[in-house]
Amino acid sequence: MNRPPFGQSLSRRNVLSSLAAIPAVALLAACSDSGEEAKAADVKPADVKPAAPAAPAKPATPAAATAPEAQGTVDMAELMKPGALPDKQLGKDDAKVTIVEYASMTCPHCAHFAETTFPELKTKYIDTGKARYILREFPFDPSAEAGFMLARCAKDNYFPMVDVLFRQQANWVGVQNTKDALLQISKLAGFTQESFEACLTDQKLLDDVRSVQKRGANEFKVDSTPTFFINGKTYKGAMSIEEMSAIIDPLL
C-alpha cells in the first residue's frame, strides 16, 4: 500500500483543502484494519492494513448457506444510544432484526457490498418490514470524510447520495483531482459550487463525523470496514445475501 502523505486522518483540518492536496497515488483504496485495540483518534494511514480480498461468491441458495460465525457481541441498548449525528435508517423501528453497518466511503469492500448484496437485502428484508438498516460513518481518510459529509448535506437524499458515491467510487477515489470529481458528482445530486464548498468547510459536521468513527472504535471495537452488528452480534467483512440470510432468517 502506498503511504498517504497527509498524516493522521483525524487531525483537525479543512477537508476541502485536504482533497485538493491529495495526489492520485495517495488515497487509501482498501478497507482498513488497524488491530483490535485501535482507537479512531490514533488511526494513521501508515498503520492501516488492507483487508484480505473477499473470495468470489459461490452460487448457493439461502437454505444451503452457512451463517458466518459472529466475532463478538455488543450491548444493543448501548449500540442504539444516540451519537453525535442522528442515525440514518431504512426500515421500521419495530423490525425484529436491526442491522448496523460501519462503513468507509473509500472502502472497495463496502462498495462491493453496497452494489451486490444490499439491493437484495433491502428488497427481501428491509422493504418487507423484517429488518431495519442503519449506516454509520467510519472514514479513514479525508476523501471518505468528504463523501460522508456530502451525504449528510444531501439531507433526505442521504442514502441515494451514499449509493451514488459507492457506485461511482472508481471515478473519485484515487483520481488526479478528487475535489473536482466529487463536485461533478455532487452537482448531479443538486449541489451548487457554493453549497458543495459550504458543506466541506463545515467544521462542526466534520467533527461530528469523526465523533461517530471514534465512538465506533472506542465503544464497539470497530477496526475494519465494513463491520456489521446484527441484533448485537458482530460480523466483519462484506457478506453475500446468502450469508446474511443465514444470519437473519433464524431471528425472524
Side-chain angles (χ1 to χ4, degrees):
M1 176 183 293
N2 294 310
R3 177 175 178 174
F6 44 76
Q8 288 190 344
S9 64
L10 295 182
S11 61
R12 291 177 61 87
R13 70 172 73 205
N14 183 310
V15 168
L16 192 62
S17 61
S18 298
L19 292 178
I22 302 174
V25 297
L27 294 171
L28 292 178
C31 306
S32 302
D33 182 357
S34 54
E36 293 181 358
E37 301 302 321
K39 302 297 183 182
D42 298 327
V43 172
K44 300 180 179 68
D47 298 330
V48 172
K49 298 178 291 183
K58 297 179 180 180
T61 62
T66 300
E69 185 175 350
Q71 295 169 278
T73 59
V74 298
D75 185 323
M76 277 298 293
E78 291 297 318
L79 183 67
M80 299 311 298
K81 282 184 177 178
L85 289 169
D87 278 335
K88 290 296 185 178
Q89 173 181 309
L90 294 174
K92 298 180 178 179
D93 289 339
D94 61 355
K96 289 186 177 181
V97 177
T98 295
I99 304 165
V100 178
E101 178 187 2
Y102 280 86
S104 176
M105 290 305 309
T106 52
C107 168
H109 302 311
C110 298
H112 179 76
F113 173 83
E115 292 182 38
T116 62
T117 300
F118 186 76
E120 193 168 349
L121 177 72
K122 184 174 183 295
T123 298
K124 187 175 181 180
Y125 296 105
I126 300 170
D127 292 346
T128 57
K130 297 176 181 177
R132 62 172 167 167
Y133 168 82
I134 294 167
L135 178 63
R136 289 183 181 167
E137 296 88 348
F138 203 84
F140 274 94
D141 59 86
S143 295
E145 291 174 340
F148 279 127
M149 290 171 74
L150 290 168
R152 286 283 178 174
C153 289
K155 306 295 183 183
D156 292 341
N157 289 321
Y158 177 86
F159 282 107
M161 188 67 178
V162 166
D163 181 65
V164 167
L165 289 173
F166 273 140
R167 290 181 182 278
Q168 295 289 323
Q169 194 181 76
N171 295 325
W172 64 275
V173 175
V175 300
Q176 189 63 39
N177 192 321
T178 301
K179 175 185 172 183
D180 284 352
L182 277 176
L183 175 59
Q184 295 309 311
I185 295 172
S186 298
K187 283 183 175 179
L188 296 176
F191 283 80
T192 63
Q193 176 90 34
E194 292 73 20
S195 62
F196 173 82
E197 294 188 1
C199 179
L200 295 186
T201 54
D202 185 338
Q203 185 64 48
K204 184 181 185 305
L205 177 57
L206 176 58
D207 290 343
D208 287 345
V209 167
R210 290 171 174 176
S211 292
V212 173
Q213 184 204 34
K214 184 175 182 179
R215 181 186 176 214
N218 292 347
E219 296 185 22
F220 310 120
K221 307 305 179 187
V222 178
D223 59 11
S224 62
T225 55
T227 291
F228 299 90
F229 297 97
I230 303 178
N231 279 14
K233 291 186 177 181
T234 308
Y235 301 89
K236 296 184 179 184
M239 292 183 282
S240 67
I241 187 60
E242 291 82 14
E243 290 173 317
M244 296 205 82
S245 293
I247 296 169
I248 295 170
D249 287 346
L251 302 174
L252 298 176

